[in-house]
Amino acid sequence: MTAPHRLVLDRLRDVVGGPARFRVIWLLSGVLGMAAADQTVAGAVAPDMKVALGVDNTGIGLLVTAASLMSGVTTLPFGLLADRVTRVRLLAGCVFAWSAALAIEGAATSYSMLLFGQLVLGAGVGAATPVVASLAGDLFPNADRGRALGFILTGEFAGAATGLVLAGEISALWSWRGSFWVVAAVGPPLAVVLLRLLPEPARGGGSVVHVGDALLGVGDGVA
């Protein structure tokens, strides 16, 4: 890492409140960013899919809407589930699931395969917001939880913009199928990193990460 890059990284750590907080924020922000990016792929490569599979404008609209509707439907059940299971594992599992859905869409030979992939994608993405909010609630104190969530939510907007541009460029340089596959390939490594670097916090706010903390899980009650 070059000196300017290290300086920027150190500055970001200071802004968010230290190394431990920085880790939590970039992990949770990364999940929301990926969720947002993955939902843009179908729309970004729609012109090529229309030609390759003979999908009309109505079909494309249904594909995009299906993921959003499924996400809305599954948000509440996943929120309830997050109160009863290990949240980090649930979040990682959903990342794996929606990445597999994108891979299926990239290999689609029919409209029904695309629609199935979008529904699975939406179901997995539906877990992201409630689970991330639950984790943040136990990792950040009331006094500055809103500020921390603000940093985390920036990933969602950045991911949507990045996914749209990236999918379009890959489609132009390679193929619309490649757009799905490349974006899907990011999911499994992110899920593994979540499992390795984000310990499950104790419920009820008992695992607060304080400003300046260098490590997670040391003296904070993080399991």
Side-chain angles (χ1 to χ4, degrees):
M1 183 181 295
T2 63
H5 290 162
R6 185 177 297 279
L7 184 62
V8 170
L9 184 60
D10 289 342
R11 177 57 180 161
L12 287 174
R13 286 173 176 165
D14 291 340
V15 168
V16 301
R21 287 193 170 195
F22 181 72
R23 181 195 294 186
V24 172
I25 286 170
W26 76 257
L27 285 173
L28 297 182
S29 180
V31 171
L32 293 184
M34 183 180 175
D38 290 355
Q39 292 183 89
T40 68
V41 178
V45 303
D48 293 328
M49 287 196 302
K50 289 168 66 175
V51 173
L53 298 179
V55 183
D56 59 17
N57 289 332
T58 301
I60 293 297
L62 178 59
L63 285 177
V64 176
T65 304
S68 297
L69 287 177
M70 182 60 75
S71 179
V73 168
T74 57
T75 294
L76 179 57
F78 274 119
L80 295 173
L81 186 61
D83 291 334
R84 294 167 172 78
V85 301
T86 304
R87 291 161 292 181
V88 174
R89 291 179 183 174
L90 174 61
L91 196 57
C94 288
V95 173
F96 273 119
W98 80 57
S99 298
L102 286 175
I104 290 172
E105 290 189 73
T109 56
S110 66
Y111 182 79
S112 60
M113 287 182 67
L114 287 173
L115 183 58
F116 172 77
Q118 285 292 102
L119 290 172
V120 176
L121 168 64
V125 168
T129 300
V131 177
V132 166
S134 177
L135 287 168
D138 285 330
L139 287 166
F140 296 100
N142 293 332
D144 56 359
R145 186 175 299 150
R147 180 171 179 268
L149 282 171
F151 284 122
I152 292 169
L153 289 173
T154 59
E156 186 172 2
F157 302 110
T162 302
L164 193 62
V165 173
L166 183 62
E169 289 297 318
I170 294 172
S171 180
L173 295 173
W174 182 12
S175 72
W176 66 270
R177 297 183 186 278
S179 297
F180 282 105
W181 291 333
V182 170
V183 176
V186 179
L190 175 59
V192 171
V193 170
L194 279 172
L195 293 172
R196 291 177 62 88
L197 298 184
L198 186 64
E200 177 73 14
R203 297 184 186 273
S207 298
V208 168
V209 181
H210 301 284
V211 173
D213 283 351
L215 298 172
L216 288 171
V218 178
D220 294 321
V222 180

